[in-house]
Amino acid sequence: MQLTYYGHACFAVDIDGARLLFDPFISPNPLAAGIDVEAIAADYVLVSHGHGDHVADVAAITKRTGATLLSNYEIVQWFAGQGVTKGHGMNFGGSVRLPFGRVKFVTAVHSSTLPDGTPGGNPGGFVVTGGGKTFYYAGDTALTYDMKLIAEACAVDVAVLPIGDTFTMDAADAARAAEFVGTKTVVGVHYDTFPPIAIDHDAARAAFAARGITLLLPAIGETVAL
Ligand code: NI
Ligand code: MN
């Protein structure tokens, strides 16, 4: 399993030849100006919730690549209205089995209005199992005891967690979230993109290190093996 970071909360995970792209927000992000959005491959596009900083490039990428959209039912329906024809609409607690493994849609504590004001259902996260590993992407969320349910059900190898504060958990709460889900490795996302979510990287790493957890902060465009 390897992860490539594209800035903000957008990243791709490669599992046994399948490429999963999460929350594409690249073309509006000045920090990701070095990424060629037209060159990003995807077999599946997974969207945690309807906010613009998670869906900006969904329609263009799914149409160009033919990728299947995985999100809550309301968001999949909204994109169907824009010509995104391949989608699995999900809801909390449900999973889909795919050739590379299994994707489960789990709770997040946040909001989910789509860019045109359409209600975007409930915000969520994903637990993905494939290639002998399990990872958890929390989406935008507060710390919540629901995360403990994930650890009760399976061993989480890696968690991708928001750490930018203001709209989501800060690093201290995200470190507690990592303990809740039982992982020792976290990739931090949803920080530095806008002034309200600018963070001190060393302080963030220290918040995790205090709990014996490694925080990875890949550079935009960097790929890390997990
Ligand atoms: Ni959001
Ligand atoms: Mn967001």
Side-chain angles (χ1 to χ4, degrees):
M1 184 181 287
Q2 64 178 27
L3 181 149
T4 302
Y5 184 51
Y6 292 118
H8 197 50
C10 180
F11 58 97
V13 175
D14 291 276
I15 304 171
D16 288 351
R19 191 149 215 267
L20 286 63
L21 180 70
F22 292 79
D23 286 353
F25 171 77
I26 299 155
S27 57
N29 181 1
L31 300 183
I35 302 294
D36 179 5
V37 71
E38 296 290 323
I40 293 177
D43 299 302
Y44 302 91
V45 173
L46 292 82
V47 173
S48 64
H49 65 292
H51 289 161
D53 60 317
H54 299 256
V55 305
D57 294 312
V58 169
I61 291 174
T62 51
K63 289 178 189 177
R64 175 177 55 78
T65 60
T68 298
L69 177 63
L70 302 179
S71 189
N72 71 30
Y73 184 82
E74 291 84 353
I75 289 171
V76 170
Q77 287 298 109
W78 189 76
F79 277 108
Q82 298 178 32
V84 177
T85 53
K86 291 166 66 179
H88 282 294
M90 307 175 70
N91 214 323
F92 291 144
S95 59
V96 291
R97 287 170 199 284
L98 297 162
F100 67 85
R102 181 168 177 249
V103 175
K104 185 172 185 177
F105 192 62
V106 298
T107 56
V109 177
H110 192 66
S111 55
S112 184
T113 308
L114 285 153
D116 67 354
T118 301
N122 289 307
F126 296 97
V127 177
V128 179
T129 302
K133 293 204 168 177
T134 294
F135 79 93
Y136 166 53
Y137 169 45
D140 285 7
T141 186
L143 181 65
T144 164
Y145 262 49
D146 276 5
M147 293 165 175
K148 295 192 176 194
L149 294 173
I150 298 168
E152 287 179 10
C154 61
V156 174
D157 296 288
V158 181
V160 179
L161 303 176
I163 59 172
D165 207 354
T166 303
F167 308 115
T168 68
M169 299 186 283
D170 65 359
D173 274 357
R176 295 173 66 197
E179 282 191 343
F180 282 5
V181 301
T183 188
K184 292 291 184 193
T185 306
V186 169
V187 177
V189 297
H190 213 277
Y191 66 94
D192 283 358
T193 318
F194 318 110
I197 60 173
I199 65 162
D200 179 327
H201 295 197
D202 289 337
R205 287 192 188 90
F208 283 83
R211 294 174 186 271
I213 297 162
T214 301
L215 174 66
L216 303 174
L217 299 176
I220 295 173
E222 184 180 355
T223 298
V224 292
L226 298 170

